[in-house]
Amino acid sequence: MNKSLNLDGIWQLRWHDGDRGDRLQRIFRSESDPARAWPARVPGCVHSTLLAHGVIPDPNRGTNVLACRWVEEMFWHYRRTFRAPRRPPGARVWLVFECLDLAATIYLNGREVGRHANAFYPCRLDVTDVLRPGENQLVVAVESGLFHAAHRSAAGYNVPLSSELTKRPWLRKTQSEHGWDWSPRLLNVGIPGHVRLEIATNVRWEHCVVRSTLSDDHATGTVTARVFVEGLGKKPVMRQLTVSVKETRQRVTVPVKIKPGLNTLEAKLEVARPKLWWPVGHGAQPRYTVTVTLGDTGTATKRIGFRHIRINETPHPDKGRYCILEINGRPIFCKGGNFVPADLLLARVDRRRYTELLDRALEANCNFLRVWGGGIYESADFYELCDARGILVWQEFIFACAKYPATDEHFLADVKREATHQLRRLAHHPSLVIWCGNNELEWANWQWGYERGVAHPDYALFHLVLPALVRQEDPTRPYRPSSPVSPDGEAPNADHVGDQHPWGVGFAETDFRKYRTMICRFPNEGGILGPPALPTLRAALAGGPERINSLAGELHDNSLNFADNTAPYVGDHLIERWTGRAVRSMSLADYVYWGGVVQGAGLAEYVKNFRRRMFDSAAAIFWMFNDVWPCTRSWTIVDHYRRRTPAFWPVRRAFAPVTVVVTREADQVRVYGVNDGAELTGTLRFGLLALAGRYPLDETQPVTLRPNVSTLLAEFSARHWDQLGRRTHVAFAILSHAGREVARDVLFLPTFREMKWPPTKVTVQSAGGQAIFTSRTFAWRVCLDLDGERALPDNFFDVYPGIPTVLDWPRHLGKPRVLRVGN
C-alpha cells in the first residue's frame, strides 16, 4: 500500500545574503525567532510571498521590476515542522517536491538528505532513516541558480551579456527569465510545486503513462498503460494490473511479476470503433476516461483521445516538399500563435489564467499553439484545457537561442531525466501532436556562427539523445529536432521544405507587404510589433510620466527597438513609415490606436498570405500569442492582463473559418475563398472602389467554396486599377451566404500614409439586436474600443461606401460608439 502525507501549506521563509539574515545553522534551531520570518505559502515563490507582505512592489508596474531584482541574489530558507505517523514495519519513505526553483539543498531534522537543481522534473529523496515518528523539522535552502552556476562560464555559448551574467545555458529553468526582447530579467526562486511524503511497503508506485493509438482504418483504438514501479523487497511479488475505460465499460486485468528494483509493467486494451478526437473546427473532442490500478499499490486516472497524427512531407510538384499536419487523415491548416510563460512569477499562473488565455485563443479562431522552447513545460491544466477545446499543441523541449553544454556528462544526464519525466507526464494528452527539440538552434548552427566559441556542443542532444527518448517513451508522436528545420540536407529555414521562421519581415524590414510573396510550407514564427490595450499600457507606465519614451516606457518596451541590427527605434519607425505620424507626438490613446492599426494590418497580411496558399502553405503561426508582463510594445494579440490588443481583431477576422483574400499577382487581381469547413455556396461581390465613394468596377457572381481548401473565386485585370490610381482606389471583395455577409477583404498597394484619404463620417444605428454602421466614403479602421476587455462582435474594421457593416450587438454591450476612424 502506498500512502502520502501532504506537506503543502504555510511554511516560514527567511533570507540570507552571505552576511546578514539568518544563517542555516540558526534556521535549524527550534528557538529560531518566528517573528523574523514571513509566512510563505507552498506551493509558491519567494517573490509572491514578499509581494503579499508588502516587502516588494508589483514587478509588473512602472520600474518596479528593478526594485525586485535583489531577490534572485539572495539565499532563501523555507522551514516547517510536521508530524509523521509511525512507519509500518518494512516500509520506506520518500520526500517528494514536484518542483524546486532552482538550486536547493534539503534538510530533514538537521541532516542533509539531498540536492536538486532542475525546475523541470520532481525531486524525490529517500528519507526512511531520517524521518521520526512524531514531530519533524524540514528546511529547504534554495537560490535562483546564480550561485549554483557561479563557477561555470557562458562565454562562447552565444548568449546575450545578461545571460552570460546569469549563466543561462547551465540552468534548467525558464530561459526567458534571464531576459528576452519581450521580457525583463527576473529569476524565479522558491518551491512552486506540491510537497509530500510517500510511504510504501513492498512496491513503490512511481509513474503511470497511458498512451492511445489508432489503427490506419480508424476502426480500432488501442490503450496502452505503462506503470513504473520499484520492488522494495528481496523477492519478486505478484500483483494484478487492471486497465478500465469508463465510457465503453471495458476492463482488462493481467497478472504481473514485480522484481526487486525498478520495473516497467504494461497492459493493453482495444476499443472498437472509437469516437475520434478532432481539432476545433473539424469535429468534436470526445475523450475516454482510463483508470489504471495495480492491486493495493496505487491507481491513476487519465483522460485520452483517439486520433492519428502524420506530418505529410511528400514531394511538392513545384519545389521541395509539403509540410502538412494531418489529423485522422485530414489535412489541418494550423492557425495560431506562440505561447510563452503567462507571468513573470510562474507560481501565479493557475487554471483560471489558462482558461482565460485559451478562451481568447478560441475567440481569435486559433486551433494551434506552439509552446516555445524558451519558456516552460506548461502545467497539466494547460494541456487538459487544450484537450477539451481542440487546440493543437506543438511542444518544444526547453532550449532556445543558445548553445547548451551537453558534452558535460552531469548536464546531459540531468536533461535526460527531465525529458523522460515530461514525455511520460504529457503522453496521454490528445492535444499534444508534435515534440520538438528546441527553438532555432539548428538554424543557428547553420547560419549564426555557432562553429565559433564552444563549437556545436549540443548537436547530438537534439539529433540522437532526444529522438531516442521520444521513440522509447512516446512513439505515438512525431519528433522534429528543431524549429525551423528542413529535410533533405536543406538549410533549416528554407521556404520550400520543413517549417519556417519568416523573419525577413518584422526586424530590420518593416514593409509587411513583402509577406504577400512568401511561399513558406509551415510558417511557425513571424510577427510585427504593436501596442497592448490602453489600460495595460497605463499599468506599464504606472508611477511615472505617461510617455512611451519614459524610463518605465523603455523598460517595458521590446528590446528590438534598441537593437543595433534594425532601423533606429524600429518600433517607432514602423508606425511612422506606415502612417506618417511621429510616436513622440502621440498621446497614449493615439499610440495604442495607430500602433494597433499597423500591427493588425501586418499580422493580417501574414495570415492571409499563407491561408490563401492552403496547402502549399499549411500554417500561419505568428509570434506571439500572449505576454509575460505588461509591455508598452510587444508581438501579441492578447496582452498580459488577457485584454485583446488592437491587433486581435484583424487576426481574428483573418483566421475566420471562412474568409476571402484579395491579392495582386502581376497584372491580375485575384480573389480567393478560404474554407476550413464543409462546402459553402454564396455570392461574391468584388471589384474596385474609390475611397471617395464610387465603385468603378463592381461585379457579383455565385461562388462555391470547396471544403478545407483555398479556391480561386474571381480575377480581373489590374490595368484599370492602375489607370484610376492606386492612392485613391482599392480592390475589394465581399462574400455573402444566405443573404448575410460572411467575410470581406480590401487590398491596399501603397502604404497607408501614401493613400489620399477622404473625410468620412460614420453613422451608427441600433435596431433588433444589431449595430449598423454606414458611411458615404470609405471609413478605415473604425475603432469602438481601446480597452480590450469586452467581447465585441468586431473592432478595428472598415466600412465600405454605401454598404452597411452589420454587427450582432447584444444589449449588455450598451450603445455602440465610434471612438476613432483612421481617415
Side-chain angles (χ1 to χ4, degrees):
M1 178 74 70
N2 283 202
K3 297 181 178 180
S4 65
L5 177 65
N6 186 353
L7 298 180
D8 293 348
I10 303 301
W11 295 44
Q12 299 297 312
L13 178 68
R14 284 293 286 147
W15 68 283
H16 180 52
D17 70 356
D19 294 309
R20 295 166 183 81
D22 282 347
R23 296 179 183 273
L24 193 60
Q25 290 72 21
R26 186 188 297 272
I27 299 293
F28 290 148
R29 297 176 189 166
S30 60
E31 68 273 14
S32 179
D33 185 359
R36 292 178 176 268
W38 295 288
R41 182 166 297 279
V42 172
C45 68
V46 171
H47 289 90
S48 293
T49 297
L50 300 181
L51 185 60
H53 292 289
V55 180
I56 60 172
D58 182 354
N60 282 333
R61 298 175 67 83
T63 60
N64 289 349
V65 71
L66 301 177
C68 298
R69 193 165 281 177
W70 62 272
V71 176
E72 67 196 43
E73 300 169 358
M74 299 290 168
F75 299 95
W76 297 95
H77 301 134
Y78 283 84
R79 178 182 184 270
R80 71 159 294 166
T81 58
F82 64 92
R83 295 191 65 81
R86 185 171 297 279
R87 179 164 53 91
R92 288 168 60 184
V93 185
W94 291 263
L95 177 61
V96 181
F97 296 86
E98 288 294 333
C99 181
L100 289 166
D101 195 357
L102 177 71
T105 306
I106 300 94
Y107 302 87
L108 183 60
N109 297 324
R111 177 174 163 186
E112 181 181 325
V113 293
R115 300 186 178 205
H116 193 78
N118 190 315
F120 297 139
Y121 69 88
C123 172
R124 182 185 297 273
L125 305 169
D126 190 333
V127 295
T128 304
D129 298 331
V130 186
L131 187 72
R132 305 168 183 162
E135 186 165 286
N136 291 261
Q137 182 195 78
L138 178 58
V139 174
V140 178
V142 62
E143 55 92 5
S144 66
L146 290 180
F147 298 95
H148 174 73
H151 66 292
R152 301 291 193 179
S153 173
Y157 284 91
N158 287 64
V159 292
L161 286 175
S162 60
S163 294
E164 281 201 23
L165 174 68
T166 59
K167 315 297 177 63
R168 172 166 76 85
W170 291 94
L171 299 182
R172 296 311 298 149
K173 63 186 300 174
T174 310
Q175 299 294 277
S176 59
E177 289 179 12
H178 301 259
W180 225 267
D181 63 291
W182 41 270
S183 174
R185 192 187 97 204
L186 191 74
L187 299 184
N188 282 219
V189 57
I191 308 178
H194 297 291
V195 187
R196 65 183 180 274
L197 283 178
E198 291 183 352
I199 305 168
T201 54
N202 297 323
V203 178
R204 176 180 69 85
W205 173 290
E206 181 174 287
H207 213 120
C208 174
V209 176
V210 177
R211 299 199 304 254
S212 59
T213 54
L214 191 63
S215 61
D216 290 342
D217 61 2
H218 303 168
T220 304
T222 301
V223 179
T224 302
R226 302 179 77 192
V227 179
F228 299 88
V229 298
E230 181 181 4
L232 304 178
K234 295 182 179 179
K235 297 181 179 179
V237 296
M238 298 299 296
R239 290 286 188 275
Q240 298 291 315
L241 178 61
T242 300
V243 181
S244 62
V245 179
K246 177 182 176 182
E247 289 75 11
T248 61
R249 299 182 180 180
Q250 290 176 270
R251 177 189 299 263
V252 64
T253 299
V254 297
V256 291
K257 178 186 287 188
I258 301 172
K259 300 176 181 178
L262 297 178
N263 295 254
T264 301
L265 315 175
E266 186 171 286
K268 295 188 177 185
L269 183 153
E270 289 190 349
V271 176
R273 296 178 297 281
K275 297 178 181 178
L276 301 186
W277 185 96
W278 290 95
V280 61
H282 291 269
Q285 294 79 43
R287 287 179 291 164
Y288 291 80
T289 307
V290 178
T291 300
V292 182
T293 303
L294 181 64
D296 62 356
T297 299
T299 188
T301 298
K302 313 278 188 180
R303 299 195 72 190
I304 66 168
F306 290 102
R307 81 280 180 270
H308 184 273
I309 307 165
R310 175 182 179 236
I311 298 178
N312 177 354
E313 293 191 282
T314 55
H316 190 279
D318 293 337
K319 185 179 182 182
R321 296 178 178 273
Y322 290 100
C323 187
I324 304 171
L325 177 63
E326 296 178 352
I327 303 295
N328 303 329
R330 180 185 300 172
I332 306 296
F333 190 93
C334 297
K335 307 179 297 184
N338 283 255
F339 198 89
V340 301
D343 204 295
L344 288 176
L345 308 182
L346 297 170
R348 296 200 294 199
V349 182
D350 56 12
R351 189 177 184 91
R352 179 178 177 181
R353 179 89 62 96
Y354 282 126
T355 299
E356 291 177 347
L357 285 166
L358 295 174
D359 284 348
R360 289 286 182 274
L362 289 185
E363 185 184 351
N365 293 311
C366 296
N367 64 9
F368 185 101
L369 291 171
R370 173 183 174 231
V371 180
W372 170 72
I376 58 174
Y377 309 96
E378 301 291 344
S379 80
D381 288 332
F382 173 84
Y383 303 95
E384 289 171 7
L385 291 166
C386 287
D387 292 345
R389 285 158 173 74
I391 298 175
L392 301 170
V393 176
W394 168 303
Q395 176 67 56
E396 294 184 353
F397 293 96
I398 306 305
F399 303 92
C401 299
K403 303 173 192 173
Y404 288 86
T407 54
D408 181 279
E409 62 177 304
H410 299 291
F411 181 91
L412 181 60
D414 197 47
V415 166
K416 290 173 70 174
R417 287 189 289 269
E418 167 192 320
T420 299
H421 170 74
Q422 296 296 340
L423 287 163
R424 293 176 179 178
R425 180 177 77 95
L426 301 178
H428 64 282
H429 291 289
S431 59
L432 200 164
V433 292
I434 294 173
W435 285 104
C436 178
N438 63 70
N439 172 71
E440 297 187 341
L441 270 62
E442 187 85 1
W443 190 11
N445 274 302
W446 276 62
Q447 295 176 313
W448 295 3
Y450 269 31
E451 69 279 2
R452 298 189 294 272
V454 182
H456 311 302
D458 49 22
Y459 207 74
L461 171 62
F462 305 115
H463 290 266
L464 174 63
V465 176
L466 288 179
L469 284 174
V470 172
R471 281 195 300 272
Q472 174 182 307
E473 301 291 343
D474 188 14
T476 67
R477 294 175 175 87
Y479 168 83
R480 300 179 73 82
S482 186
S483 178
V485 74
S486 298
D488 305 330
E490 298 276 5
N493 205 30
D495 284 346
H496 57 283
V497 285
D499 69 310
Q500 294 76 34
H501 293 191
W503 282 116
V505 173
F507 282 18
E509 178 57 75
T510 58
D511 186 353
F512 46 72
R513 290 172 297 184
K514 294 187 177 180
Y515 283 137
R516 297 172 183 173
T517 58
M518 287 187 179
I519 304 173
C520 300
R521 297 292 181 234
F522 197 97
N524 215 1
E525 178 186 316
I528 297 291
L529 286 166
L534 183 56
T536 300
L537 178 61
R538 289 200 165 107
L541 300 174
E546 286 202 337
R547 299 197 322 270
I548 303 302
N549 60 351
S550 67
L551 176 59
E554 292 189 342
L555 183 63
H556 287 255
D557 202 347
N558 192 278
S559 69
L560 191 65
N561 208 35
F562 310 96
D564 292 334
N565 63 340
T566 65
Y569 302 106
V570 65
D572 294 353
H573 172 77
L574 172 69
I575 296 172
E576 292 171 16
R577 174 177 186 169
W578 278 90
T579 70
R581 289 167 168 82
V583 171
R584 287 173 180 265
S585 64
M586 291 181 182
S587 68
L588 295 188
D590 289 340
Y591 167 71
V592 171
Y593 176 75
W594 288 112
V597 165
V598 173
Q599 184 192 25
L603 287 178
E605 290 281 6
Y606 179 92
V607 172
K608 291 188 297 182
N609 173 64
F610 297 123
R611 286 199 75 194
R612 66 101 171 171
R613 299 177 187 275
M614 173 184 186
F615 281 94
D616 293 330
S617 297
I621 313 302
F622 64 88
W623 181 263
M624 55 193 195
F625 176 74
N626 62 308
D627 265 323
V628 73
W629 79 323
C631 297
T632 53
R633 184 177 356 238
S634 190
W635 306 99
T636 60
I637 66 167
V638 177
D639 70 26
H640 175 67
Y641 295 113
R642 280 78 70 203
R643 297 181 176 116
R644 303 158 186 85
T645 75
F648 177 92
W649 307 99
V651 170
R652 180 193 188 200
R653 291 193 296 270
F655 274 157
V658 177
T659 192
V660 288
V661 180
V662 182
T663 70
R664 176 160 179 173
E665 301 168 59
D667 293 328
Q668 291 295 107
V669 177
R670 294 191 169 108
V671 181
Y672 294 86
V674 182
N675 181 14
D676 289 340
E679 182 173 284
L680 182 141
T681 59
T683 302
L684 181 71
R685 181 178 177 181
F686 65 97
L688 298 171
L689 69 83
L691 299 180
R694 294 185 309 105
Y695 289 84
L697 178 62
D698 191 357
E699 298 187 16
T700 301
Q701 66 183 42
V703 291
T704 298
L705 280 70
R706 293 180 290 123
N708 204 33
V709 293
S710 172
T711 303
L712 178 61
L713 301 179
E715 62 180 317
F716 59 89
S717 171
R719 283 178 290 181
H720 189 30
W721 190 1
D722 294 337
Q723 293 166 358
L724 291 168
R726 301 179 181 185
R727 298 173 64 191
T728 54
H729 292 73
V730 295
F732 78 97
I734 302 174
L735 176 67
S736 300
H737 171 71
R740 179 148 189 172
E741 182 179 312
V742 175
R744 62 170 61 183
D745 191 31
V746 65
L747 178 65
F748 297 92
L749 295 182
T751 61
F752 305 140
R753 68 183 294 178
E754 296 168 322
M755 298 298 294
K756 291 185 176 180
W757 296 104
T760 190
K761 181 180 180 180
V762 178
T763 60
V764 189
Q765 292 180 316
S766 298
Q770 292 182 325
I772 304 167
F773 300 81
T774 57
S775 174
R776 292 183 178 181
T777 59
F778 186 91
W780 177 52
R781 287 305 184 249
V782 176
C783 172
L784 309 182
D785 176 77
L786 290 173
D787 291 347
E789 294 175 349
R790 295 188 296 165
L792 299 176
D794 206 354
N795 197 9
F796 282 79
F797 55 87
D798 302 331
V799 179
Y800 296 179
I803 302 176
T805 296
V806 181
L807 304 179
D808 291 329
W809 197 269
R811 182 175 298 177
H812 72 267
L813 291 176
K815 186 177 180 179
R817 186 167 64 96
V818 174
L819 297 184
R820 290 169 179 257
V821 181
N823 300 42

